[in-house]
Amino acid sequence: MPQDFGPPAPTLSLAEVEATARAAHAGQRDKAGRPYAEHLRAVAEGVRARGGDDEQIAAAWLHDAVEDDALTGRWLDEAPLSRRTKDIVLALTRRAGEPPEAYAARILATPGARLVKEADLAHNADPGRLAVLDEATRTRLAEKYTRMRALLGQG
């Protein structure tokens, strides 16, 4: 006889995901000295503008949380989020010593992750953001972002 396990657990709303991400990254600054939440918001808006769905937008808010130790992998595992959102966040989480090719392959193998990374790269490579960095850092990052876009088949 089939068992009734009740309704599925509710998932966090986008507003709750945003609030969680903002709290997790509170006090953190990007390379340009801006509040890190500005980057998260820009990536989430970039995903929305590219036609991403709510699961991808949620992943955009959380895309750096585990990598930056703002939230733990255990938090992500136990969080009331869709499996797809969790998979995208995990795909976008760089691993120590991981070659860019392996990182890009994982993103390409994870449904929905490429679009989130595309929005992330677009904001990271924004000329206005890069302009405030010293020339050596600006050049290094521009080359890094160009290489990742190529590995992801984005030009």
Side-chain angles (χ1 to χ4, degrees):
M1 175 191 292
Q3 294 189 17
D4 181 8
F5 292 103
T11 59
L12 294 174
S13 69
L14 282 178
E16 291 168 324
V17 171
E18 176 183 348
T20 299
R22 286 180 178 277
H25 290 277
Q28 188 179 351
R29 301 263 176 198
D30 68 11
K31 290 175 181 68
R34 304 291 307 157
Y36 204 76
E38 290 180 9
H39 171 64
L40 302 177
R41 179 180 39 79
V43 175
E45 289 174 0
V47 167
R48 186 184 310 276
R50 288 167 172 79
D53 59 30
D54 285 356
E55 290 176 322
Q56 290 169 300
I57 295 166
W61 278 107
L62 298 170
H63 78 277
D64 281 333
V66 176
E67 181 178 316
D68 291 352
D69 293 324
L71 295 169
T72 65
R74 181 175 178 174
W75 177 89
L76 182 65
D77 187 51
E78 296 175 356
L81 296 165
S82 73
R83 181 73 256 163
R84 182 166 171 253
T85 294
K86 292 177 184 186
D87 288 346
I88 293 170
V89 173
L90 291 172
L92 296 174
T93 301
R94 286 188 180 271
R95 298 169 186 164
E98 181 176 40
E101 295 81 5
Y103 178 60
R106 188 173 61 252
I107 291 168
L108 291 171
T110 305
R114 182 177 178 214
L115 184 102
V116 179
K117 188 62 182 176
E118 180 181 326
D120 179 41
L121 286 168
H123 188 248
N124 282 338
D126 179 86
R129 286 186 83 209
L130 292 174
V132 301
L133 304 174
D134 64 82
E135 185 175 346
T137 301
R138 188 170 54 245
T139 300
R140 179 180 58 79
L141 291 175
E143 289 171 358
K144 174 184 167 184
Y145 302 145
T146 298
R147 180 165 185 229
M148 185 53 58
R149 278 196 302 274
L151 289 171
L152 295 172
Q154 297 175 356

